[in-house]
Amino acid sequence: MDSERTCATAASRRGTGTGPDLTGIRLAHRAMLADIDRLAGLLAGLASAGRPVPAGRAAAIAAYVHRYHAVVRGHHHGEDRVLWPLVLDAVPDAADTVAGLVRFADDHEALDALQAACDTAADRFAADPDGCARELAGLLARQRDLLARHVAAEEEHLFPLITGRVPGAAYAAAEAGIRSADRAADPAWARGWLLSHATPGELHRLLPGGSADPAAVRPLLRAYADEAEAVFAG
């Protein structure tokens, strides 16, 4: 069984007969915030160091930026298409909830635009790292700040609503729907990236068998760790 199907099966089992288990979305939020912070910090450091960036490392950084954005877009599109309608079904008459979801969708559009600008700047950085590091650093910092505000608002205002009003089985089905609809360009990278940010306790909840280091995900974690080291410690 591949890791994506394994995680989907585990999510479905967690939602049966219980309230919503937000382990997966909390992990995704933490992973997104951690990586945008370290990407912005990396580029700020390269821009201020005044030392040439090897072409191979610049290309690896640009590729990482693209992959990271693909995962974040998939997360946000899944929320817009699947999760927000589920919340509206659970609280159909709450005007403040509707207004909040509109605001979160607007944030997603703004983040999409920033990510597109970052992707373009990353390509320029790959071609001319010494001349374009500062531009990419500035765009990543703007994205980091908006994403941090957005995630904090979601978790403060929507998570209590989900845990209080959405049935666990319905939430688990929504998680499975988001996974099946997300066609990431590199799903193995996306899975390794996400699980690299998980604690042992989170792995225990997210993966079947209760193992914090199952054979199904060890190759993904190892491959991701090798690439991350080349980008952030190169």
Side-chain angles (χ1 to χ4, degrees):
M1 179 181 291
D2 64 33
S3 62
E4 184 172 351
R5 188 179 306 164
T6 297
C7 291
T9 301
S12 177
R13 187 178 59 250
R14 294 197 319 273
T16 302
T18 66
D21 183 344
L22 304 188
T23 301
I25 193 171
R26 289 188 186 277
L27 172 59
H29 281 177
R30 193 174 70 249
M32 290 188 300
L33 291 176
D35 252 23
I36 191 62
D37 187 58
R38 65 177 181 167
L39 280 169
L42 171 66
L43 268 295
L46 292 175
S48 62
R51 295 191 297 271
V53 180
R57 189 181 183 201
I61 291 170
Y64 192 102
V65 168
H66 282 290
R67 286 174 170 169
Y68 168 78
H69 286 154
V71 173
V72 176
R73 287 189 193 101
H75 175 84
H76 288 160
H77 293 170
E79 288 182 335
D80 290 339
R81 293 190 304 263
V82 180
L83 189 54
W84 300 163
L86 179 65
V87 172
L88 287 175
D89 284 344
V91 195
D93 300 321
D96 55 340
T97 299
V98 174
L101 293 179
V102 170
R103 171 195 163 187
F104 296 138
D106 289 344
D107 281 352
H108 289 172
E109 289 187 7
L111 285 163
D112 276 351
L114 263 177
Q115 289 160 7
C118 285
D119 283 342
T120 300
D123 290 338
R124 287 198 287 266
F125 170 77
D128 179 15
D130 301 328
C132 299
R134 194 169 302 278
E135 175 196 20
L136 181 55
L139 288 167
L140 289 168
R142 286 174 55 196
Q143 184 186 166
R144 175 197 60 205
D145 295 344
L146 176 55
L147 185 62
R149 292 193 299 270
H150 171 75
V151 166
E154 271 191 13
E155 295 192 354
E156 178 183 357
H157 298 293
L158 284 183
F159 281 17
L161 193 63
I162 293 170
T163 56
R165 300 290 294 271
V166 176
Y171 182 81
E175 278 192 313
I178 289 171
R179 285 192 188 88
S180 65
D182 183 14
R183 293 291 179 262
D186 193 342
W189 187 94
R191 183 60 59 195
W193 168 82
L194 181 66
L195 295 180
S196 75
H197 291 273
T199 66
E202 287 167 335
L203 286 173
H204 181 89
R205 294 183 66 82
L206 291 169
L207 298 170
S211 171
D213 189 23
V217 299
R218 275 200 300 266
L220 300 177
L221 291 169
R222 186 164 51 246
Y224 172 77
D226 290 344
E227 179 176 352
E229 183 177 3
V231 169
F232 294 103

